[in-house]
């Protein structure tokens, strides 16, 4: 049967193993404090930038520690927001932007390191390579979070969390002077939903101005839940399994593993291969393969359900 364990299965391996548990403990300890989820978001963004700088300085062990701490705090802000009932569209947009800043800092630090160490190679080739990796990795992260929330809403027969967030951003953009973050969030939500599934996007769009949109959304979730339990059960579980590997956290975990190896055995490995080049290459290949496979299994379930 489709059970609540789906939410755990959708987590990437390291989050499932220990990050989520640590984040739960930290969030519980912060619940009674004045610290807000937005402050935690700013903090993990800053730590991510520091980690990127340490990679540029070739301090790989300390860089990995910063990146790992950033990943844990990235889980904390969401859990803390739910514990304090402070989950807002603005906060989610801040989290997205914070992740983007930390990620871009890592890409820039890696690119500068490569440009400094490979002076005889064409600079445009290095820049294009890094930008290609960044493009694929960003898509993996955004698509993962969208697919995860959609599959969880099906598993729990709840209103689609992605649609709720999309609607919040939509309502905030209807005024005369809508907030920039709200417009950005609405654009990202719309483009990503459309990229993952045109049929899903059209379903959401049809409910945009309905007064009973939540009732319609719940009916859809219940219908999809029944199909996931019966005729589409195998496809649903394949989609869940494939989605857990799409997470951008997996990409950073693989890169961190590469950096640890180079940090510990630098004198033996560095003469033959470059730390940043290997880490970025591994991350790029992993992002590309898991994104393609994840979308393949996700489409097999979602499109099949909408066409029944």
């Amino acid at each position: 049967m489709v059970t609540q364990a789906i939410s755990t299965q959708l987590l990437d391996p390291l989050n499932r193993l220990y990050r989520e548990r640590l984040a739960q403990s930290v969030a519980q300890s912060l619940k009674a404090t004045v610290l807000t989820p937005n402050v935690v978001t700013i903090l993990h963004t800053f730590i991510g930038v520091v980690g990127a700088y340490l990679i540029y300085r070739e301090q790989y062990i300390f860089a990995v520690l910063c990146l790992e701490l950033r990943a844990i705090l990235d889980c904390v802000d969401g859990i803390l927001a739910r514990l304090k009932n402070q989950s807002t569209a603005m906060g989610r947009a801040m989290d997205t932007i914070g992740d983007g800043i930390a990620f871009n800092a890592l890409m820039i630090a890696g690119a500068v390191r490569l440009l400094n160490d490979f002076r005889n190679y064409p600079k445009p080739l290095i820049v294009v390579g890094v930008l290609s990796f960044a493009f694929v990795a960003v898509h993996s992260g955004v698509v993962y979070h969208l697919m995860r929330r959609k599959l969880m809403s099906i598993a729990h027969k709840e209103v689609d969390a992605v649609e709720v967030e999309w609607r919040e951003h939509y309502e905030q953009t209807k005024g005369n002077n809508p907030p920039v973050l709200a417009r950005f969030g609405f654009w990202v939500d719309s483009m990503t939903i459309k990229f993952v599934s045109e049929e899903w996007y059209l379903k959401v769009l049809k409910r945009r101005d309905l007064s009973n949109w939540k009732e319609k959304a719940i009916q859809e979730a219940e219908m999809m839940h029944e199909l996931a339990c019966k005729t589409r059960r195998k496809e649903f579980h394949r989609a869940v399994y494939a989605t857990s590997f799409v997470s951008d956290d997996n990409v950073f975990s693989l890169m961190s593993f590469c950096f640890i190896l180079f940090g510990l055995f630098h004198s033996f490995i560095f003469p033959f291969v470059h730390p940043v080049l290997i880490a970025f290459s591994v991350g790029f290949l992993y992002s590309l393969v898991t994104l393609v496979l994840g979308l393949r299994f996700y489409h097999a379930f979602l499109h099949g359900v909408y066409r029944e």
Side-chain angles (χ1 to χ4, degrees), residues 82-98:
R82 291 189 289 274
L83 289 175
K84 289 191 170 189
N85 197 26
Q86 295 178 353
S87 181
T88 63
M90 185 71 72
R92 289 189 288 272
M94 277 187 64
D95 191 40
T96 300
I97 292 172

Side-chain angles (χ1 to χ4, degrees), residues 145-213:
H145 289 292
L146 184 146
M147 293 194 301
R148 177 171 176 257
R149 285 179 291 168
K150 176 68 172 178
L151 292 172
M152 284 178 64
S153 70
I154 295 170
H156 300 152
K157 292 190 285 188
E158 296 173 345
V159 176
D160 184 358
V162 181
E163 182 175 350
V164 172
E165 186 173 332
W166 179 89
R167 185 172 292 277
E168 287 177 1
H169 288 144
Y170 169 69
E171 293 296 330
Q172 291 177 1
T173 59
K174 286 164 61 174
N176 293 327
N177 295 305
V180 175
L181 288 177
R183 281 185 291 171
F184 171 76
F186 179 69
W187 179 81
V188 170
D189 290 345
S190 298
M191 290 300 101
T192 311
I193 293 173
K194 204 169 184 179
F195 171 74
V196 171
S197 172
E198 183 76 26
E199 291 167 322
W200 178 16
Y201 181 70
L202 291 175
K203 287 276 188 179
V204 173
L205 206 60
K206 284 181 180 178
R207 290 194 290 266
R208 181 176 57 185
D209 298 312
L210 293 178
S211 58
N212 63 337
W213 70 271

Side-chain angles (χ1 to χ4, degrees), residues 1-17 20-21 24 75 79 82 144-145 147-158 161 225 236-237 239-241 243-245 247:
M1 292 293 290
V2 179
T3 65
Q4 203 164 17
I6 292 295
S7 57
T8 302
Q9 294 173 26
L10 281 165
L11 293 173
D12 64 87
L14 289 184
N15 277 3
R16 191 161 58 234
L17 183 63
E20 195 73 12
R21 297 175 187 175
Q24 288 280 0
C75 298
I79 297 171
R82 291 189 289 274
Y144 163 72
H145 289 292
M147 293 194 301
R148 177 171 176 257
R149 285 179 291 168
K150 176 68 172 178
L151 292 172
M152 284 178 64
S153 70
I154 295 170
H156 300 152
K157 292 190 285 188
E158 296 173 345
H225 176 86
F236 180 78
H237 282 281
V240 169
Y241 186 72
T243 297
S244 69
F245 285 94
S247 172

